[in-house]
Amino acid sequence: MNRTVKDAVPVHGVDPQLLFPKIIRERIYDCQFWRDRLLGHALPSVLDTALRELQYVGGYYGGNQKPTPFLCLALKLLQLQPPRDIIAAVVDDASNKYRQVLGLYYLRLVLPAPEVYTVLE
């Protein structure tokens, strides 16, 4: 169930999920947040989860280096590969600044550098 969508376009020449190192992906797949709130969910549900659950931006926490919800949601977006107009709507929506950052982070991962700079301007 931890596979990229079938019609996914390679990002920078690889499967989008491979933008995260293997150890990070494995820790995300093993964490409770991933299994409870993201595994098997579609894009609308994932974006709703981002709106409700994101309260900070981060990578890992605790002694076991558990991934944060932000990192889990970023990997889920890489799995689902949403259309650019949906991510643009997430970035433009000022109701949740952490969801905006998630959209920008996703764009930074998948777009070439010149396009990222035009989006940020």
Side-chain angles (χ1 to χ4, degrees):
M1 201 68 188
N2 292 324
R3 292 182 227 147
T4 307
V5 292
K6 292 180 183 178
D7 57 346
V9 178
V11 175
H12 307 297
V14 296
D15 180 347
Q17 287 192 82
L18 297 181
L19 296 174
F20 278 33
K22 183 178 180 180
I23 189 70
I24 294 173
R25 287 193 317 267
E26 289 175 358
R27 286 182 181 169
I28 290 172
Y29 297 151
D30 289 340
C31 84
Q32 194 69 35
F33 182 81
W34 178 269
R35 284 184 265 137
D36 290 347
R37 295 184 184 93
L38 298 177
L39 188 63
H41 289 271
L43 184 61
S45 173
V46 170
L47 292 177
D48 185 48
T49 300
L51 186 62
R52 287 182 288 108
E53 302 285 335
L54 277 182
Q55 298 176 2
Y56 57 91
V57 174
Y60 294 108
Y61 68 95
N64 294 350
Q65 298 293 306
K66 296 177 184 177
T68 61
F70 179 84
L71 212 54
C72 295
L73 286 160
L75 183 62
K76 189 63 177 182
L77 287 179
L78 287 172
Q79 263 189 0
L80 296 175
Q81 211 174 41
R84 190 169 172 182
D85 60 333
I86 291 176
I87 296 298
V90 168
V91 170
D92 291 339
D93 181 22
S95 66
N96 186 329
K97 62 185 174 186
Y98 303 113
R99 194 167 84 155
Q100 278 184 308
V101 172
L102 177 67
L104 290 170
Y105 182 69
Y106 173 78
L107 289 177
R108 177 63 187 103
L109 287 173
V110 300
L111 294 180
E115 288 185 50
V116 172
Y117 292 116
T118 58
V119 169
L120 292 177
E121 289 176 358

